[in-house]
Structure formats: C-alpha cells, structure tokens
Amino acid sequence: MGYTVLLILHLLGATIWVGGHLVLLFTIVPGALAARDVERIRSFEHGYERIGIPALIVQVITGLLLAHRFVPGVWEAFTFADRLHTLVAVKLLLLLATAVVGAHARLWIIPRLNADRLPGLAVHVALVTTLAVALLVCGALVRG
Ligand code: HEM
C-alpha cells in the first residue's frame, strides 16, 4: 500500500479515536455524572463502538506499516537508538497502555456500571483520552 494511502487511513483513524474520546470525556461523561444517568454512557458506547474499535484496529495496522518505514522490523524501536526509534517505541507502549485500560473498562466496569461507579468510569475515560492525545502528539513529532 502506498505511503499516502497509509497516512490518510492513519489520520482518518486518529480523528475517530481521538475525536470520539474527546466528545465522550467533555460532553457525554459530565452530562451522565450530573444526571447520575448510566444510560447516556451506554447509548454513546453502543453507537461509538461500531466505528471506534475498527478505527483502533486501522491505527495498529497502518501504524506498524508506517513505523516499519522508519524502523525496519519495528521491534528494533526498543533499542531507543535515536529520536525516531524512541518515538515509535513510546507509541507502542502507549498502545499497550490503551489496550489494558480500555479492556479493563469495557470488560469489567461497563458491564457492572451503576450511578455510584460513574466516577470510576470517568477516570478511565480521562486516562484513555490522555493516551489517545499522547499517541497523536508522538505521531506529529515523527516529522515535526
Ligand atoms: C490510537 C492510536 C494512534 C493515533 C491516534 C495516532 C495518531 C497519529 C497522528 C495524528 C500522526 C501524524 C501523521 C502526520 O504526521 O501526518 C501519526 C503518525 C505516525 N504514527 Fe500514529 N497514531 C496511533 C497509533 C500508532 C501506532 C500503534 C503506531 C505504531 C508504532 C503508530 C506509528 C506512527 C508513525 C510511524 C507515524 C509517522 C508517519 C509519518 O509521518 O510518515 N501510530 N500518528
């Protein structure tokens, strides 16, 4: 796949992943907390999941292919040999953290969600959103 196509898919995935989490954190979560209404989270989650998860999968595939151009073999990134190796390694670590925090929220917190547990979910959403923005910033730093 050509470089430009990969980059476009990576940017499209980033808009969905980062944008979706910013909307969740700054509009849906505060509304749900104020109204102590779990359904607001559930209905957003239900709709967003359908494009959010495919977007994250696209990020992983296109990210690895893009990273391979800078750091052949990708695992070499963990030698932290120079700035590019370090940025790719940091992106992979941020991805791992996203998977752990996201899986914990999706498999543990959301199935047992009630009004008292909303603040715990809010912390998770804030964490995943921070990780998403950090992934975007590290991506921009590759060329910047
Ligand atoms: C949700 C996850 C991710 C988000 C939101 C994200 C976001 C971004 C953004 C916004 C850019 C800037 C593109 C540009 O300069 O035009 C970028 C670049 C890049 N990303 Fe990601 N990324 C994610 C995951 C990954 C993963 C898992 C990898 C694999 C190591 C990766 C590797 C790269 C590389 C190598 C670039 C530089 C591309 C280039 O400038 O040619 N990304 N990313």
Side-chain angles (χ1 to χ4, degrees):
M1 207 183 290
Y3 173 69
T4 311
V5 175
L6 279 180
L7 195 59
I8 290 170
L9 290 175
H10 201 70
L11 287 171
L12 200 54
T15 61
I16 295 171
W17 188 253
V18 182
H21 281 87
L22 288 172
V23 170
L24 176 60
L25 180 64
F26 290 112
T27 72
I28 310 291
V29 167
L33 280 172
R36 290 177 57 83
D37 181 4
V38 172
E39 273 319 301
R40 295 190 191 194
I41 306 278
R42 286 228 160 104
S43 71
F44 179 86
E45 175 74 22
H46 186 68
Y48 177 66
E49 223 174 42
R50 270 183 248 159
I51 58 162
I53 299 301
L56 185 59
I57 293 169
V58 166
Q59 287 315 87
V60 175
I61 296 168
T62 56
L64 289 174
L65 291 170
L66 286 167
H68 184 66
R69 298 170 54 93
F70 295 101
V71 181
V74 181
W75 285 117
E76 285 292 305
F78 290 100
T79 59
F80 297 92
D82 58 21
R83 192 171 166 277
L84 280 179
H85 282 69
T86 305
L87 283 171
V88 169
V90 169
K91 286 199 80 156
L92 290 170
L93 292 172
L94 290 168
L95 176 71
L96 180 70
T98 301
V100 172
V101 179
H104 183 245
R106 185 65 191 83
L107 302 175
W108 185 259
I109 299 184
I110 292 177
R112 292 164 185 77
L113 196 57
N114 59 35
D116 293 331
R117 292 195 175 132
L118 274 173
L121 181 74
V123 172
H124 273 72
V125 172
L127 255 174
V128 176
T129 309
T130 306
L131 291 168
V133 173
L135 275 154
L136 177 147
V137 170
C138 287
L141 287 174
V142 170
R143 281 193 289 173

